[in-house]
Amino acid sequence: VLAAVTLVAFVAIDGTGSGRTATLEIHSTKNFVSDAAACGPAPMLEGAPLDRLLQTTSGVLIVANPGMRCTQAAISALQRQGMAYTLKKFEAPFQYTQGASDVWDWLHCSYPDDRTSSGMIMHSYVFSSGRFEGQGFAAAEKVQQGLLSGPSGQSCEDKFPSQAEVLQQFQADPSNKVLLFGWLSCPCTSMAQTRFAADSVCYKGRTWANPNSDLMAYLQCKESSSQDHSFVYFRNSQGSWDFIGNGFLFDGAAMSEEHFTSLVANAGAAKSCHHANVKVNVFGTPLEECRTDPSDMMGSWQDDGTCSEQIGGIHEICIESLPGDFSSETHQSAWSEERAGHRHCVCVGAWSLYMTDAAKHPENAAEIMPHCKAIPETALTARYLHNWKDWNGFPANIVTGVGKLVDRCLSQVSELKLQCGLRRRFEALRAEVPELSGGSLQGLQDHLQQLPCPESNTA
């Protein structure tokens, strides 16, 4: 018999498009409940007072934002135990703001032990038979410890047969030595990608944008790690596979070069694969921040201030001084009027469309300037070919979009090594996209070909 679980969720509204991510910590949660009378009457949810819902729901009840990591941790832990749950939704802002959601206000007031050790108020409240068990991370930990468990009777492979087959096929291929699986919204994935790219380590695997990926749920189940959103495997010296951990472990501050080199050597992994690196710019040097003011959180950049988003709109083009008409001229709301004159990470497709329609705004199109040392080399890859050609259903000209970007980036640097680094990236993209050859780009190609780039240039 499966234990019954009900999941009540609220949806975050975040219109900034910032692509921000956060690394959260878990701390133990006590059943600390404030004086309910001081919090006022419980709000209504699905026609019933919330306090009555908490008291009458059998099994486990979770009130949460389904897209948040704390919620995903609880869901994954419950899934591994074969515990059924029901998902319900109501709206609330991304960050707790008093008065924005009567449900969240009441829960936070009634159950104030809802924070991480860093002080951040979590988006999930877990109850068992009316007892508050903590926020989602704490509840997941209790499930792992057997304190909130239900009979399972199924292995991870039984619950996720298709996903288990995916991993088995990758690991059965003798040519694979290193595997990376990861959720693109987690910085853990880009940390591992960056470490591998820095040493040209050859690896295989899959990434996904869906926070509810079945493959992620299977790997969390298999490795008993509901908090992990990336998974790195290396072959060992005996030829079998070792799960090393999540991508955070591959950050330079977390893993020494000696340890990393040893893993690569024992796996027999080749170091001859060039991977476009989201932390390297179009010239081949370390990616700079687009953000100039640490307090400016409205520039659609990542938490580190870089234009390194890999999913969603792909905010990878850093604009030096955003034109006030940029958003309205790319079929968006007029949000850019408030950002006029500021640095901003814009979407690849929006840049491409703005330059395609330059005749509609000739003066601003002539003056708009990308800050190219803050544009990752991933922007100039076939991976984002669709983004260059389309912006929210409006066709953009890739020849114009890419050509204007490369031409303006070339004009920003005088050092030959940087110019040659840009040429190499443009030529690699042109080799995959024939329409970038000749035509209106012939002059740019001739200019690049005249550069005396050494054959050994690896920028």
Side-chain angles (χ1 to χ4, degrees):
V1 179
L2 295 179
V5 179
T6 301
L7 174 65
V8 183
F10 56 80
V11 179
I13 302 173
D14 180 7
T16 64
S18 65
R20 291 193 297 273
T21 54
T23 304
L24 305 176
E25 301 177 14
I26 299 174
H27 68 121
S28 60
T29 305
K30 301 176 183 177
N31 188 39
F32 175 45
V33 183
S34 70
D35 181 2
C39 300
M44 301 293 288
L45 185 63
E46 295 193 349
L50 182 53
D51 56 353
R52 185 182 303 170
L53 183 63
L54 302 183
Q55 296 165 7
T56 59
T57 300
S58 61
V60 178
L61 170 69
I62 305 176
V63 181
N65 179 337
M68 296 296 104
R69 293 181 187 172
C70 54
T71 309
Q72 292 302 316
I75 290 174
S76 296
L78 293 167
Q79 286 179 334
R80 288 201 306 274
Q81 295 299 322
M83 300 172 70
Y85 61 86
T86 301
L87 178 62
K88 301 180 181 180
K89 301 177 182 179
F90 67 89
E91 294 186 353
F94 173 76
Q95 186 171 1
Y96 178 73
T97 303
Q98 188 172 6
S101 166
D102 57 351
V103 173
W104 202 358
D105 283 344
W106 188 84
L107 286 167
H108 177 55
C109 177
S110 301
Y111 306 97
D113 194 14
D114 56 357
R115 303 173 183 263
T116 63
S117 59
S118 63
M120 183 176 180
I121 297 173
M122 287 291 91
H123 314 79
S124 51
Y125 299 76
V126 182
F127 304 84
S128 177
S129 300
R131 173 185 171 86
F132 179 53
E133 299 291 350
Q135 42 91 351
F137 284 126
E141 194 170 77
K142 288 186 177 182
V143 172
Q144 291 172 352
Q145 295 170 353
L147 302 178
L148 279 175
S149 62
S152 173
Q154 283 187 307
S155 68
C156 299
E157 287 67 28
D158 289 335
K159 286 184 282 188
F160 303 98
S162 298
Q163 289 67 39
E165 179 67 17
V166 170
L167 179 63
Q168 191 277 330
Q169 288 180 356
F170 274 106
Q171 293 189 337
D173 188 338
S175 67
N176 291 338
K177 310 296 183 181
V178 180
L179 297 175
L180 168 63
F181 302 90
W183 179 31
L184 287 169
S185 285
C186 182
C188 54
T189 301
S190 64
M191 283 183 181
Q193 291 172 329
T194 298
R195 191 68 181 266
F196 296 157
D199 281 4
S200 299
V201 174
C202 299
Y203 68 94
K204 293 293 182 67
R206 287 187 181 178
T207 56
W208 51 86
N210 182 5
N212 299 309
S213 163
D214 285 341
L215 181 56
M216 181 164 67
Y218 165 66
L219 293 171
Q220 289 174 331
C221 177
K222 180 180 184 297
E223 306 304 342
S224 299
S225 54
S226 63
Q227 301 161 51
D228 287 346
H229 301 100
S230 57
F231 307 83
V232 182
Y233 298 86
F234 275 72
R235 283 196 189 273
N236 56 36
S237 55
Q238 286 74 46
S240 57
W241 289 96
D242 290 335
F243 172 58
I244 306 302
N246 63 43
F248 287 124
L249 299 178
F250 288 82
D251 182 68
M255 180 181 290
S256 68
E257 186 62 28
E258 181 180 6
H259 186 192
F260 180 69
T261 300
S262 175
L263 286 173
V264 174
N266 288 338
K271 299 175 68 176
S272 57
C273 297
H274 173 74
H275 308 283
N277 188 345
V278 77
K279 295 302 182 183
V280 171
N281 63 37
V282 294
F283 301 116
T285 56
L287 186 69
E288 294 184 358
E289 281 192 50
C290 185
R291 178 180 59 194
T292 55
D293 179 359
S295 66
D296 184 357
M297 302 300 294
M298 302 302 293
S300 296
W301 32 63
Q302 303 296 94
D303 281 349
D304 61 0
T306 64
C307 302
S308 52
E309 183 183 51
Q310 298 189 71
I311 61 175
I314 316 299
H315 292 77
E316 292 195 357
I317 308 299
C318 177
I319 300 300
E320 188 68 56
S321 179
L322 190 69
D325 67 351
F326 185 85
S327 59
S328 59
E329 289 292 291
T330 52
H331 307 281
Q332 305 176 67
S333 65
W335 61 259
S336 61
E337 292 179 0
E338 297 182 3
R339 294 293 299 172
H342 291 81
R343 288 260 189 102
H344 202 95
C345 299
V346 304
C347 300
V348 167
W351 159 268
S352 191
L353 182 60
Y354 193 77
M355 302 314 295
T356 297
D357 292 343
K360 298 179 181 179
H361 37 261
E363 185 175 345
N364 284 344
E367 294 181 356
I368 188 172
M369 186 60 66
H371 183 72
C372 298
K373 289 186 177 180
I375 299 176
E377 64 175 348
T378 50
L380 292 179
T381 60
R383 172 182 175 183
Y384 296 133
L385 190 60
H386 173 74
N387 300 80
W388 279 105
K389 293 182 175 183
D390 179 88
W391 171 243
N392 289 342
F394 295 93
N397 189 315
I398 184 176
V399 174
T400 301
V402 172
K404 293 296 184 183
L405 180 70
V406 173
D407 185 62
R408 295 183 190 195
C409 287
L410 188 62
S411 71
Q412 293 179 14
V413 294
S414 57
E415 185 178 345
L416 180 62
K417 182 178 180 180
L418 301 185
Q419 293 175 332
C420 291
L422 178 61
R423 185 180 87 171
R424 185 168 70 82
R425 286 159 179 80
F426 173 67
E427 289 182 342
L429 176 60
R430 191 161 60 89
E432 295 187 73
V433 186
E435 60 199 280
L436 291 176
S437 298
S440 62
L441 294 183
Q442 190 60 54
L444 175 62
Q445 293 173 215
D446 292 342
H447 185 184
L448 291 170
Q449 287 299 320
Q450 291 170 8
L451 295 173
C453 297
E455 292 294 328
S456 60
N457 175 47
T458 58

